[in-house]
Amino acid sequence: MYDLIGDIHGHAAELRQLLEQLDYIPDAAGVYRHAGGRQVIFVGDFIDRGPAIRETLQLVRGMVDGGAALAVMGNHEYNALAFWTFDPTGGHLRPHKPVHIIQHLETIKEFRSKELFAEWQDYLAWFYTLPLFLELPGLRVVHACWDARYIARLRAWLPDDRLTPEFLLRASRKGSAEMDAVEITLKGHETDLPGDHHFFDKDGHRRTKMRTAWWRDPAAATYNDYFLEPIEALAGQPVDVAALPNASYYQDETPVFFGHYWLKGEPRLLTPHSVCLDYSVARGGELVGYRWHGEQTLTPTGLVRVVNGH
């Protein structure tokens, strides 16, 4: 069975603490293992933001390579590959704009020496080994959004569910089907805000598109339920489903685990079959996990958080 762990973002101390709470103990090589044979599944976003990115990568990769864990790619690992990959037409696949540099800055700083930069390049190569999603007996894992249509497209393009340099190039072209599939899977669905409404994201950028709760039926929701940032003027209004470009939502009974959304407050289930494990550890929140025993209907008692953490 599996213990699923949310976005770490360089918070290695909290990761060690959560692993120990889940009864994982480092072996002689420093790889955390469970005496009962359980495995961790990491939902991505190991890098950026936090104070111990290199240590986090050492811990996560050590467990994955040592058979003690599985992991999927997060959007920050994907962004890093694009940031460091040259575009044949000039520049990089992820342009080195100030906003992109700032998001990646803590990682850049940690690996800035010549010796450590060689190590960083090895981690970039390792990111290619991470699948974009996992479908295992009884559960699914993805960084941001399990939309069966885009999962099917990625499976058709990528037989082992992993990026290739050639696919990364195609997925970096605006308007491409490959970009749509990767963006939705690793970053989630977005929709235009109605009228002239906007909000400022966690980094202070003005946004007119909003991430949406793809696990929730919009026809039975208010904007407060369906949008992942509060828009006070819309909060109590029913969602205008006709105005949505994509009103589908997750209705399967296979549990799906994901991160990405910087949730706040008390960790909770989103539905009986979906749970987000990202509770903003890099913004003063908590590192959260779920101890899964094979149940189809998830339970709040499965949620685990770092005790005495932030």
Side-chain angles (χ1 to χ4, degrees), residues 202-225:
K202 62 185 178 297
D203 295 316
H205 303 121
R206 187 180 187 274
R207 304 286 189 184
T208 58
K209 287 183 176 289
M210 176 69 74
R211 288 175 179 165
T212 57
W214 53 271
W215 54 88
R216 187 184 295 276
D217 179 2
T222 66
Y223 282 111
N224 196 48
D225 302 321

Side-chain angles (χ1 to χ4, degrees), residues 187-194 197-201 206-214 223-232 234 244-246 261:
K187 302 179 185 181
H189 278 292
E190 287 190 332
T191 191
D192 290 321
L193 289 169
H197 291 287
H198 64 274
F199 73 101
F200 293 92
D201 68 14
R206 187 180 187 274
R207 304 286 189 184
T208 58
K209 287 183 176 289
M210 176 69 74
R211 288 175 179 165
T212 57
W214 53 271
Y223 282 111
N224 196 48
D225 302 321
Y226 192 61
F227 285 163
L228 297 183
E229 295 283 348
I231 305 293
E232 187 175 348
L234 299 172
L244 298 176
N246 184 350
Y261 291 104

Side-chain angles (χ1 to χ4, degrees), residues 53-74:
I53 294 160
R54 181 173 180 243
E55 183 183 355
T56 296
L57 287 170
Q58 290 170 338
L59 286 169
V60 170
R61 183 175 180 177
M63 291 183 70
V64 172
D65 290 355
L70 303 170
V72 296
M73 179 178 287

Side-chain angles (χ1 to χ4, degrees), residues 88-106:
T89 65
H92 293 79
L93 296 183
R94 184 169 173 83
H96 288 192
K97 298 178 180 179
V99 62
H100 296 157
I101 294 171
I102 290 169
Q103 185 184 69
H104 196 40
L105 186 59
E106 295 306 315

Side-chain angles (χ1 to χ4, degrees), residues 133-150:
F133 52 85
L134 286 170
E135 186 161 24
L136 302 169
L139 82 165
R140 294 165 172 164
V141 185
V142 68
H143 182 65
C145 177
W146 191 283
D147 185 316
R149 297 164 302 176
Y150 296 99

